[in-house]
Every structure is written in structure tokens, then in C-alpha cells.
Amino acid sequence: MNKTSMILDVDTGVDDAFAVLFAALHPEIKLLGITCVDGNTNVDQVVANTLKTLDAAGAGDIPVARGAMRPLLGKSQYAEYVHGADGMGDLGMAPSKRKIDPRSAVELLRDLIEESKEPVTIVPLAPLTNIALFLRVFPETAKKIHRIVLMGGSASAGNATAAAEFNIWHDPEAAAIVFQSGVPITMYGLDVFMRPGITRGEATRLKNATEPSAQFAGALVEAFIERLHVSPITLGDFGAVASVIHPELFTTEMFDVVVDTSWGPARGQTICDRRDAFLKELEPLDLVDAAKVRVTLDLDVEAVRQLWLKTIDKGWV
Ligand code: BDR
Ligand code: CA
């Protein structure tokens, strides 16, 4: 079986936990390591949540490193109103006994990429601070990255603001560095992010399953539904991971994309040039420093949902 070597960068985060569980459990993913960053909550809490999630997955010894504790510019802006006071549903779980890796996030990224015999895909599910720092600190190693498939941005509306998606809005300068890096980038953004969902009924089934990964996932979904008063709730970040190993379930298109780093109302917007070809020719691109980015625009919702359910709960039918 061909496995995809992958590093996750997370701000766990309820939906980051859905993605971590999936990446740790899916047989076609070789999860090399996880780097943590300030985002949904503070970075120390992100580390604690990520370690607990690996426990629930029954994962082996996967290195987890602490990364940036704030964006490159500006201040931290957390999303605890969405993810809970502890950033992961306030389930009251005991702390993990796993040890955090002594290396910083950028050092762990460097070592894992240098040591890997296979091409490495980086999947950031959080603000891009760690990834931007890594690109700047270790540019020679960065050239070896196979591709970056990130959850972030939007070719339509925003969520943190009318224009901007949370991960990009939290650290637009970092996002601009990553988008302009020359590394092949696929953006899994708000155009698809909300679509694969899980219902309260499915959460109950997961909670009653025999596997700890399923029970944990069920409790998380339930907590998310109770907090947000909506059912179904989105599987969110997980979709980006799924798109790496099952690209046939996703529709993408290439666009010129610019991250707005101005301090106006569009700060953090990913401006995608979706004009018709003839208009682009008529009015050549006025976007400075646009990057060619593959943007995910559609997906097979039911197949993606089932992929997650069957991976999290081996007994799911
Ligand atoms: C993104 O922001 C976070 O709240 C989620 O974990 C996801 O990565 C959605 O905008
Ligand atoms: Ca996230």
C-alpha cells in the first residue's frame, strides 16, 4: 500500500481533533509528526489537546512540537466561543501522559522533512505562523516540501469577518509568506469547509461504539452541537486531510490568489481572481504578488463523510 507522508500543523480545536484522529488512524497516511500553533486557543492548550487526541486514537509515538505563541504581527484572537474554554469542547479529560517533543515546531519540521525518504505533504489546519517561520528559517529544507494542502481562506465569503476566514485572518502576513513561497499550494477553504457534517444521531452512535476513538469523536461532536446549537456540525479541518489521499472526491481549480495584509475591512481576505479568461486579458491582473493556488470548490459530501466515519469507527456500516 502506498502511504502519504504527512505533517499536520494544528490549533486543536474541535475540528482539528477530527482531522488528527483521521490522520492517525487512516492506513494510507504516514503521520510523521504534528506541530502546534496559537489559533483557536493558546499554544500550550493546543499541545495538551493534541496529545489527548492522539491518546484517543491509540496512536504510536508521533512527535508533537510547540510552535508560535502569537501571530507575526498583531495580537492573538482566540475562538473559544466556538471550541470551548479549553479549545476542545470542555470534555474534562485527564491530561495526557505523552511527552511533548523538546524541539520547536520549525526544528521538528526541518528534521522530519530532511529524514523522510518519501515526499512530505504539509497540512496546516491553523494560522500559518509556524509554516511561514519555517520557510524563512530553513529555506533549503523548505525546497524539499512536496506540497502544502491547507485549511484556510475562501474564494467566496469569510467567517471571522465578512471578508476573511479565521486561519488567514489570524495571521495574514504569515499566510502571504506561505502563498508566495513557490511551494505548490492547495487551499481547502470556506467554499467547502462547512459541507461534510455529522448529526446528533450519528454522534450518539459513535459514543456507544466500542472503540475509544469513536467514543471520543462522538463526545466531541455532541459538545460542538450543544455549544453551537446546530446539527449537523461540520467536520471542518478533516476535509483538507481527506483531499490529500482522496483527490478524486474533490473538485479544484487554479486561480491567482493574493492575501490582503492591509489593516482595512478586507484584512486576511484571500482574493481569488475568478474572472473569465477574456476579461483577465482585457484587464491584466492588478493583484500584486499573486500566487497560483489550487482552490477546492466542490466535493462529494456523502463519500467524504463516510470516509471519516469508517476510519474513526471500524465497525461503522
Ligand atoms: C478554521 O478556524 C478554526 O476555528 C477551525 O479549526 C478551522 O481551522 C475555520 O475558519
Ligand atoms: Ca483549525
Side-chain angles (χ1 to χ4, degrees), residues 3 11 32 35 45 84 93 96 177 189 205-206 211 234 265 286 289 315:
K3 287 196 177 212
D11 60 341
L32 302 178
T35 51
Q45 188 66 56
M93 289 170 74
S96 172
I177 289 171
R205 273 181 67 190
L206 288 172
E211 290 169 66
T234 179
D286 51 358
D289 295 327

PDB file of all heavy atoms in Angstrom, residues 3 11 32 35 45 84 93 96 177 189 205-206 211 234 265 286 289 315:
ATOM      1  N   LYS A   3       1.674   4.799   1.031  1.00  0.00           N
ATOM      2  CA  LYS A   3       1.260   5.706   2.100  1.00  0.00           C
ATOM      3  C   LYS A   3       1.707   7.118   1.769  1.00  0.00           C
ATOM      4  O   LYS A   3       2.772   7.303   1.180  1.00  0.00           O
ATOM      5  CB  LYS A   3       1.913   5.293   3.419  1.00  0.00           C
ATOM      6  CG  LYS A   3       1.335   4.035   4.012  1.00  0.00           C
ATOM      7  CD  LYS A   3       1.749   3.950   5.466  1.00  0.00           C
ATOM      8  CE  LYS A   3       1.132   2.748   6.132  1.00  0.00           C
ATOM      9  NZ  LYS A   3       0.837   2.959   7.534  1.00  0.00           N
ATOM     10  N   ASP A  11      -4.227  23.827  15.475  1.00  0.00           N
ATOM     11  CA  ASP A  11      -4.575  24.653  16.643  1.00  0.00           C
ATOM     12  C   ASP A  11      -5.762  23.977  17.351  1.00  0.00           C
ATOM     13  O   ASP A  11      -6.796  24.581  17.549  1.00  0.00           O
ATOM     14  CB  ASP A  11      -4.878  26.114  16.255  1.00  0.00           C
ATOM     15  CG  ASP A  11      -6.055  26.263  15.282  1.00  0.00           C
ATOM     16  OD1 ASP A  11      -6.420  25.268  14.617  1.00  0.00           O
ATOM     17  OD2 ASP A  11      -6.604  27.370  15.190  1.00  0.00           O
ATOM     18  N   LEU A  32       3.923  11.733  10.190  1.00  0.00           N
ATOM     19  CA  LEU A  32       5.306  11.862  10.674  1.00  0.00           C
ATOM     20  C   LEU A  32       5.383  12.661  11.969  1.00  0.00           C
ATOM     21  O   LEU A  32       6.264  12.409  12.801  1.00  0.00           O
ATOM     22  CB  LEU A  32       6.168  12.555   9.617  1.00  0.00           C
ATOM     23  CG  LEU A  32       6.253  11.898   8.237  1.00  0.00           C
ATOM     24  CD1 LEU A  32       7.114  12.736   7.303  1.00  0.00           C
ATOM     25  CD2 LEU A  32       6.817  10.481   8.353  1.00  0.00           C
ATOM     26  N   THR A  35       2.830  19.727  14.446  1.00  0.00           N
ATOM     27  CA  THR A  35       3.303  20.970  15.057  1.00  0.00           C
ATOM     28  C   THR A  35       2.088  21.791  15.493  1.00  0.00           C
ATOM     29  O   THR A  35       1.039  21.753  14.854  1.00  0.00           O
ATOM     30  CB  THR A  35       4.180  21.773  14.077  1.00  0.00           C
ATOM     31  OG1 THR A  35       3.485  21.914  12.824  1.00  0.00           O
ATOM     32  CG2 THR A  35       5.498  21.052  13.827  1.00  0.00           C
ATOM     33  N   GLN A  45      -2.329  25.102  25.383  1.00  0.00           N
ATOM     34  CA  GLN A  45      -3.584  24.346  25.399  1.00  0.00           C
ATOM     35  C   GLN A  45      -3.721  23.520  24.116  1.00  0.00           C
ATOM     36  O   GLN A  45      -4.215  22.387  24.141  1.00  0.00           O
ATOM     37  CB  GLN A  45      -4.753  25.337  25.530  1.00  0.00           C
ATOM     38  CG  GLN A  45      -6.092  24.689  25.760  1.00  0.00           C
ATOM     39  CD  GLN A  45      -6.184  23.988  27.105  1.00  0.00           C
ATOM     40  OE1 GLN A  45      -5.967  24.595  28.142  1.00  0.00           O
ATOM     41  NE2 GLN A  45      -6.486  22.694  27.083  1.00  0.00           N
ATOM     42  N   GLY A  84     -14.897  26.074  22.922  1.00  0.00           N
ATOM     43  CA  GLY A  84     -14.930  25.828  24.358  1.00  0.00           C
ATOM     44  C   GLY A  84     -13.760  26.513  25.058  1.00  0.00           C
ATOM     45  O   GLY A  84     -12.775  26.908  24.420  1.00  0.00           O
ATOM     46  N   MET A  93     -11.374  15.907  30.104  1.00  0.00           N
ATOM     47  CA  MET A  93     -10.487  14.723  30.017  1.00  0.00           C
ATOM     48  C   MET A  93      -9.225  14.919  30.859  1.00  0.00           C
ATOM     49  O   MET A  93      -8.719  16.040  30.977  1.00  0.00           O
ATOM     50  CB  MET A  93     -10.039  14.512  28.566  1.00  0.00           C
ATOM     51  CG  MET A  93     -11.129  14.024  27.652  1.00  0.00           C
ATOM     52  SD  MET A  93     -10.562  14.113  25.949  1.00  0.00           S
ATOM     53  CE  MET A  93      -9.427  12.727  25.892  1.00  0.00           C
ATOM     54  N   SER A  96      -2.866  14.138  29.114  1.00  0.00           N
ATOM     55  CA  SER A  96      -2.159  13.006  28.516  1.00  0.00           C
ATOM     56  C   SER A  96      -0.824  12.796  29.215  1.00  0.00           C
ATOM     57  O   SER A  96      -0.216  13.741  29.722  1.00  0.00           O
ATOM     58  CB  SER A  96      -1.909  13.296  27.033  1.00  0.00           C
ATOM     59  OG  SER A  96      -1.073  12.313  26.484  1.00  0.00           O
ATOM     60  N   ILE A 177       3.319  35.044   3.224  1.00  0.00           N
ATOM     61  CA  ILE A 177       4.639  34.405   3.044  1.00  0.00           C
ATOM     62  C   ILE A 177       4.460  32.996   2.473  1.00  0.00           C
ATOM     63  O   ILE A 177       5.140  32.589   1.536  1.00  0.00           O
ATOM     64  CB  ILE A 177       5.400  34.357   4.395  1.00  0.00           C
ATOM     65  CG1 ILE A 177       5.844  35.770   4.791  1.00  0.00           C
ATOM     66  CG2 ILE A 177       6.608  33.410   4.311  1.00  0.00           C
ATOM     67  CD1 ILE A 177       6.409  35.883   6.199  1.00  0.00           C
ATOM     68  N   GLY A 189     -10.801  25.797   1.576  1.00  0.00           N
ATOM     69  CA  GLY A 189     -11.325  26.920   2.352  1.00  0.00           C
ATOM     70  C   GLY A 189     -12.810  26.846   2.615  1.00  0.00           C
ATOM     71  O   GLY A 189     -13.439  25.783   2.537  1.00  0.00           O
ATOM     72  N   ARG A 205     -24.423   7.417  18.093  1.00  0.00           N
ATOM     73  CA  ARG A 205     -23.936   6.094  17.657  1.00  0.00           C
ATOM     74  C   ARG A 205     -22.439   5.955  17.921  1.00  0.00           C
ATOM     75  O   ARG A 205     -21.968   4.903  18.368  1.00  0.00           O
ATOM     76  CB  ARG A 205     -24.207   5.911  16.154  1.00  0.00           C
ATOM     77  CG  ARG A 205     -25.581   5.366  15.855  1.00  0.00           C
ATOM     78  CD  ARG A 205     -25.774   5.197  14.371  1.00  0.00           C
ATOM     79  NE  ARG A 205     -24.933   4.166  13.797  1.00  0.00           N
ATOM     80  CZ  ARG A 205     -24.771   3.955  12.485  1.00  0.00           C
ATOM     81  NH1 ARG A 205     -25.395   4.726  11.628  1.00  0.00           N
ATOM     82  NH2 ARG A 205     -24.001   2.995  12.051  1.00  0.00           N
ATOM     83  N   LEU A 206     -21.689   7.019  17.625  1.00  0.00           N
ATOM     84  CA  LEU A 206     -20.234   6.959  17.850  1.00  0.00           C
ATOM     85  C   LEU A 206     -19.929   6.791  19.336  1.00  0.00           C
ATOM     86  O   LEU A 206     -19.055   6.009  19.729  1.00  0.00           O
ATOM     87  CB  LEU A 206     -19.565   8.236  17.321  1.00  0.00           C
ATOM     88  CG  LEU A 206     -19.479   8.388  15.799  1.00  0.00           C
ATOM     89  CD1 LEU A 206     -18.983   9.790  15.421  1.00  0.00           C
ATOM     90  CD2 LEU A 206     -18.548   7.338  15.192  1.00  0.00           C
ATOM     91  N   GLU A 211     -14.908   1.361  20.123  1.00  0.00           N
ATOM     92  CA  GLU A 211     -13.540   1.899  20.029  1.00  0.00           C
ATOM     93  C   GLU A 211     -13.424   3.262  20.715  1.00  0.00           C
ATOM     94  O   GLU A 211     -14.277   4.134  20.524  1.00  0.00           O
ATOM     95  CB  GLU A 211     -13.153   2.052  18.559  1.00  0.00           C
ATOM     96  CG  GLU A 211     -12.963   0.706  17.884  1.00  0.00           C
ATOM     97  CD  GLU A 211     -12.840   0.860  16.386  1.00  0.00           C
ATOM     98  OE1 GLU A 211     -11.841   1.448  15.952  1.00  0.00           O
ATOM     99  OE2 GLU A 211     -13.739   0.411  15.684  1.00  0.00           O
ATOM    100  N   THR A 234     -20.069  20.758  11.249  1.00  0.00           N
ATOM    101  CA  THR A 234     -19.105  20.440  10.205  1.00  0.00           C
ATOM    102  C   THR A 234     -17.931  19.599  10.726  1.00  0.00           C
ATOM    103  O   THR A 234     -17.486  19.776  11.857  1.00  0.00           O
ATOM    104  CB  THR A 234     -18.548  21.714   9.547  1.00  0.00           C
ATOM    105  OG1 THR A 234     -17.591  21.331   8.546  1.00  0.00           O
ATOM    106  CG2 THR A 234     -17.852  22.633  10.551  1.00  0.00           C
ATOM    107  N   PRO A 265     -10.965  46.722   6.190  1.00  0.00           N
ATOM    108  CA  PRO A 265     -12.013  45.710   6.408  1.00  0.00           C
ATOM    109  C   PRO A 265     -11.769  44.382   5.689  1.00  0.00           C
ATOM    110  O   PRO A 265     -12.394  43.378   6.032  1.00  0.00           O
ATOM    111  CB  PRO A 265     -13.281  46.392   5.864  1.00  0.00           C
ATOM    112  CG  PRO A 265     -12.805  47.511   5.018  1.00  0.00           C
ATOM    113  CD  PRO A 265     -11.469  47.932   5.529  1.00  0.00           C
ATOM    114  N   ASP A 286      -4.273  43.074 -11.712  1.00  0.00           N
ATOM    115  CA  ASP A 286      -3.770  44.205 -10.942  1.00  0.00           C
ATOM    116  C   ASP A 286      -3.391  43.768  -9.527  1.00  0.00           C
ATOM    117  O   ASP A 286      -3.072  44.568  -8.671  1.00  0.00           O
ATOM    118  CB  ASP A 286      -4.817  45.318 -10.888  1.00  0.00           C
ATOM    119  CG  ASP A 286      -6.177  44.798 -10.442  1.00  0.00           C
ATOM    120  OD1 ASP A 286      -6.299  43.574 -10.220  1.00  0.00           O
ATOM    121  OD2 ASP A 286      -7.108  45.597 -10.312  1.00  0.00           O
ATOM    122  N   ASP A 289       1.873  40.504  -6.419  1.00  0.00           N
ATOM    123  CA  ASP A 289       2.347  39.287  -5.751  1.00  0.00           C
ATOM    124  C   ASP A 289       1.299  38.176  -5.703  1.00  0.00           C
ATOM    125  O   ASP A 289       1.186  37.453  -4.711  1.00  0.00           O
ATOM    126  CB  ASP A 289       2.814  39.581  -4.308  1.00  0.00           C
ATOM    127  CG  ASP A 289       4.024  40.478  -4.299  1.00  0.00           C
ATOM    128  OD1 ASP A 289       4.839  40.385  -5.235  1.00  0.00           O
ATOM    129  OD2 ASP A 289       4.144  41.288  -3.359  1.00  0.00           O
ATOM    130  N   GLY A 315     -16.236  -0.260  13.057  1.00  0.00           N
ATOM    131  CA  GLY A 315     -17.469  -1.051  12.960  1.00  0.00           C
ATOM    132  C   GLY A 315     -18.597  -0.296  12.256  1.00  0.00           C
ATOM    133  O   GLY A 315     -19.720  -0.791  12.170  1.00  0.00           O
TER     134      GLY A 315
END
